[in-house]
Amino acid sequence: MTSQPTTPTTTATDDVVRVEDLQVNFYTQLGVVRALNGVSFNIPRGKVLGIVGESGCGKSITGMSIMQLVASVGKTEGGKILFNESAGGNPINILDYERNSPEMRKIRGNNISMIFQEPMSSLNPCYTISDQIEEAIRLHQTEDKVESRKRAIEVLTKVGMPNPDRIADSFPHELSGGMRQRAMIAMALSCTPTLLIADEPTTALDVTTEANILDLMRELQSEIGTSIMFITHNMGVVAQMCDEVAVMYLGRVVERATVDDIFYEPRHPYTIALLQSIPRLGRTKGILASIEGSVPDPYSRVTGCPFHPRCPVAIKGVCDTILPEETIVDAAKGHTVRCHLYS
Amino acid sequence: MAVDATQLPHTTATHVEDVGQIPQWQLMVRRFRKSKLSVGGMYVLIVMYVIMLFSDFLAPYEHNRLDSNYAWGPPSQIAIVDGKLSTFALKQTLDTERLQWLYVVDTDRPLPIQFFVQGYEYRFLGIFPSKLHFYGVEEGYQVNLLGADKDGKDVLSRLLKGSQISLTLGFVGVVISVIIGSIVGTASGYFGGSIDNMIQRVIELLRSFPDIPLFLSLAAALPQNAPVEIRFFMITMIIAVIGWTGLAREVRGKVMSYRNADYTAASVAAGGSHWHIITRHLIPNSLSHIIVVGTLAIPAAIGSETALSFLGLGILPPAVSWGVMVRDAQTIEAITTYPWMLLPVLVLIITVLSFYLLGDGIRDAVDPYA
Amino acid sequence: MLNYIARRLINMIVLLVAISFIGFFIIQLPPGSFLDVELQRLRSLGGDVSRDQIKALELRYGINDPFLVKYWKWVERSSRGDFGTSYMTDQSVGERIWGRLSVSLGLSLFALLFTWLISIPIGVYSATHRYTIPDYVVTLIQFIGLAVPGFLLALILLIFATRYFNQQVGGINSSEFMDQPMSVAKFIDMVNHIWIAVVVLAFGATAGLTRVMRANLLDVLNMQYIQTARAKGLDEAVVIWKHAVRNAIHPLVMSLGTLLPALIVGETLVAQVLSLPTIGPMYLDALRAEDMYLAGTILVMLSGLLLIGNLLADLLLAWVDPRVRLE
Ligand SMILES: Nc1ncnc2c1ncn2[C@@H]1O[C@H](COP(=O)(O)OP(=O)(O)OP(=O)(O)O)[C@@H](O)[C@H]1O
Ligand SMILES: [Mg+2]
């Protein structure tokens, strides 16, 4: 486990993004899905924030909300996403912009970019790698064709692509999964964004490729200084990549702490269960299998603490009726938790 | 603070677990019900096929019964006279200027509609001889609820009789073609090698024929004076022979991918026979797809029968199908002066539309992501 | 590439030979011959034909030759560019077909163009505005287009055109232009005549393709690379037209191969209603009159068109989608 220097994160720190009480609902034929029920967290400048939680807890939706890329059936019905381009600058609320407005488009791909889970399908099969990278460069940086091509090759070299000149003119189907993910990272970094949102960028890759890509991201992060929001299932990856961690459960952040605190001083019963389900040896995938029960139906609403039906230490009469507020357990390190045990 | 993860109790949210336990087909039924239009299409078709079964009983006259007193006769007026549901006799006069029959309703001569009357003889469901008909009027007069054609043949009776051919011919043709297509496609995909190669050649050749001309020339080769049953059978076969190739290709593709799937490999390893593997694994996996393709092919086949009959190459008079009736409706005169001649077209459109809606709904239910 | 095309062309010739054999076989299947049909017609007109005359005619047309001999005669002459003489009119088959085929081709190309120009934008619109009222309207029209037979549409338009636009319809030219060389006036007259045919022909195909386009685009819009494109900051219109449509257009390109011959023959009923001098009704007449050289030649020509259309579609597809390999 790498130990990162832990900076205190209080409200006074310089954050790239502050998400406050974000609520997103999906209006589907079968009913309303409350995907995010008041998500709050911050990403300190130059740090890597890990977002972990079970499948369906709203990790991807949180990332997409920052990009304003949530499918149009999903409505943002409250909260703020404050984005601060440079230290000491004025934060802007991303949600003030229309999805397809010029302002929003200027932020996307330029100031904030995103990498997706599936490298196999993240690239358009009809265009070459360099076409797709240059598209972003020409949109945000330079209109010059020679220059954009040069930068595309540069960034491909930077992500460790072998033979970047030749790869640039290949089509996605001619590359392996790892190479495609490198190409995606190159595309995301091509305009040196302030924030990179990586949504499980390595889940679809084999273990060796995964390790390479993670190393690469860590390297580039310290080199460029980009802040990263790193979404994952995998606590092992969290330990390797992140400075800080937010644990999500059913559309809420239930615990937020530095990576050391999460591993050595976890507070929320859900975080504890998550950690205990990591096998000591061998496979690190499918770690959540041993938490009993499953996530409740997204269409229904659980009263009280959403985790109480599965919580071994739930307090009768409290946990099943009152929703716990966010409580600060260690102000200096910015450790907060949403659990009645600590309020 | 330590919590033993293994002691975490079960969730109370049973709803989610439910979904996992419902059999696949029940999920499909649920999804299908969601689509109102498709369900509507299904009900329309059920009604139509039930009516078809009772068509002889419901039809007041034999489909070829001529009556020059009712040539181009309009739909009968219905009223209640002396507490009885009645229609009226018609007075026929010739408009010598425009050479048209004119009809005047003779309100002094009401004809009470009689129910469960004796009429022409038929075989109910093709088996039981009967003379019973749902309604009729006094001998010597005619009630044409939907009007009459140029020879005074009752349009409703013809529509009912025509449904026996029109609703079955395309259907049977598609069923046969689906059977051929699935068998050949499965064989081709499962055995591969030279069998596959040969089958693919044959399919390629058949597909190189433009279907409509091939269809027309095959139909033109049918004997002209064969009885209607034989013609029916042969047209069915033509539809089947032309239609199976597309499905065979698709089934082949599916079977090839399933053949390489884990469970097939497992079955082979466990010593499963070809027959076992094909019937237990490959066919069930392609079945939903086959049903979808079949349902969507039926309206096209019904259209083919109509087109053939319209061109005089399909069902031939004196037999009647909707296509034969449509043939009588192809002039501007028929449409503008005797609009009831368009009823078979309307019925056809409704049938075809219902099949498309049904097929669409089944497709969405079976494969929500395609 | 050239290698591929050459191989396809050779394959095509082999197929055409097989088609001509099977096709000719089917076409000469009906008992009796052209002569019987003709004699029946003469007799019904009250004429009398003597035995000797019949013998002479039979000999002249090779009526009693065995199938293979007939087939061979036809193939051998066709390979010299002489497709035989139509029994019906004693005209050269090549000449008769050519006149009709050009009308059919022109009409179908117009219809094809019309189909594409309409179905792509409408399909895109209804996919990107799913569950809105215009989308429902488009869906409704699509189903109607699928279910309403072309000839009925033709009739309805015919009635409208004659009643409300006081227009002479049917055929492709008014009588006064019939035998004149092409001129601006004649062209306008022609457009006035054929618009109904083009609309009717295109309507069914447009309905089908719009559905396909909509369904495909919906699939493509769920793809991850569409999110990637949006995440770059591209305008939604660019995302749709550059990244999505190009991936959704495959089946449309593929349909190109089958659509053209289908349109050419599909107009048989429509042509009958509108009395258009196209290939469909001619084929039908040839079949009815058992004019087998004419019918056979048309069948083979249409198959050739289908095969060429398929080849073109495959080439176009390889150009649109780099994943498609020509092999
Ligand atoms: N398009 C949509 N329509 C309806 N509900 C949606 C849609 N997208 C997401 N959701 C719902 O939002 C919730 C959160 O989804 P999200 O994709 O953020 O999960 P996740 O935490 O990223 O899971 P995973 O680890 O599997 O990627 C889920 O319950 C899901 O059902
Ligand atoms: Mg996700």
Side-chain angles (χ1 to χ4, degrees), chain A residues 59-60 117 199-200:
Chain A
K59 305 182 298 288
S60 299
Q117 185 168 351
D199 189 353
E200 311 194 29

Side-chain angles (χ1 to χ4, degrees), chain B residues 190-191 272-279:
Chain B
Y190 184 77
F191 294 111
S273 68
H274 287 323
W275 179 247
H276 177 83
I277 293 168
I278 290 175
T279 53

Side-chain angles (χ1 to χ4, degrees), chain B residues 108-126:
Chain B
D108 296 338
R109 181 74 178 89
L111 302 165
I113 293 182
Q114 301 152 7
F115 291 97
F116 301 104
V117 294
Q118 296 290 311
Y120 70 91
E121 189 171 339
Y122 62 95
R123 281 173 183 274
F124 181 62
L125 300 179

Side-chain angles (χ1 to χ4, degrees), chain B residues 115-363:
Chain B
F115 291 97
F116 301 104
V117 294
Q118 296 290 311
Y120 70 91
E121 189 171 339
Y122 62 95
R123 281 173 183 274
F124 181 62
L125 300 179
I127 308 168
F128 314 105
S130 165
K131 284 185 172 180
L132 192 67
H133 292 269
F134 182 53
Y135 70 97
V137 288
E138 201 174 303
E139 197 62 40
Y141 295 92
Q142 215 167 299
V143 52
N144 306 122
L145 291 181
L146 301 178
D149 72 1
K150 65 176 188 304
D151 305 316
K153 290 181 265 186
D154 180 36
V155 168
L156 179 59
S157 298
R158 288 174 70 72
L159 268 178
L160 287 165
K161 186 74 187 175
S163 73
Q164 293 179 358
I165 286 179
S166 294
L167 286 180
T168 52
L169 198 151
F171 188 88
V172 176
V174 168
V175 169
I176 298 176
S177 92
V178 160
I179 293 174
I180 302 178
S182 329
I183 293 177
V184 176
T186 310
S188 187
Y190 184 77
F191 294 111
S194 56
I195 295 184
D196 179 39
N197 209 339
M198 213 172 66
I199 293 176
Q200 290 312 308
R201 286 283 132 156
V202 173
I203 292 181
E204 187 185 1
L205 178 63
L206 272 177
R207 289 183 75 93
S208 306
F209 279 101
D211 359 341
I212 301 171
L214 182 61
F215 203 73
L216 293 179
S217 44
L218 283 171
L222 299 181
Q224 291 285 319
N225 34 24
V228 59
E229 293 81 15
I230 302 285
R231 252 191 117 73
F232 177 96
F233 172 73
M234 288 177 151
I235 296 173
T236 312
M237 288 317 289
I238 294 179
I239 289 178
V241 165
I242 294 184
W244 65 274
T245 54
L247 185 71
R249 278 211 166 156
E250 288 173 39
V251 170
R252 170 179 176 261
K254 292 237 163 203
V255 166
M256 282 188 146
S257 62
Y258 292 134
R259 194 181 55 163
N260 301 327
D262 289 344
Y263 52 80
T264 319
S267 190
V268 173
S273 68
H274 287 323
W275 179 247
H276 177 83
I277 293 168
I278 290 175
T279 53
R280 278 297 144 81
H281 297 288
L282 302 181
I283 293 191
N285 270 302
S286 326
L287 193 63
S288 54
H289 183 72
I290 292 173
I291 291 176
V292 171
V293 172
T295 317
L296 287 171
I298 293 173
I302 291 179
S304 304
E305 184 273 318
T306 318
L308 276 189
S309 302
F310 181 87
L311 294 172
L313 292 173
I315 299 297
L316 301 175
V320 66
S321 74
W322 293 344
V324 172
M325 296 179 76
V326 168
R327 194 174 157 81
D328 298 332
Q330 60 171 311
T331 57
I332 294 190
E333 187 206 11
I335 293 184
T336 50
T337 326
Y338 313 113
W340 56 89
M341 293 304 287
L342 275 179
L343 281 168
V345 182
L346 189 70
V347 175
L348 259 170
I349 292 176
I350 293 173
T351 312
V352 168
L353 196 57
S354 302
F355 267 114
Y356 275 125
L357 291 173
L358 176 68
D360 230 44
I362 298 182
R363 182 183 50 206

Side-chain angles (χ1 to χ4, degrees), chain B residues 3-16:
Chain B
V3 182
D4 189 354
T6 53
Q7 281 172 13
L8 290 167
H10 269 287
T11 173
T12 47
T14 48
H15 193 98
V16 176

Side-chain angles (χ1 to χ4, degrees), chain A residues 26 28 33 35 54-61 71 73 117 200 233 298:
Chain A
F26 284 91
T28 68
V33 180
E54 267 168 300
S55 194
C57 67
K59 305 182 298 288
S60 299
I61 299 299
V73 282
Q117 185 168 351
E200 311 194 29
H233 280 113

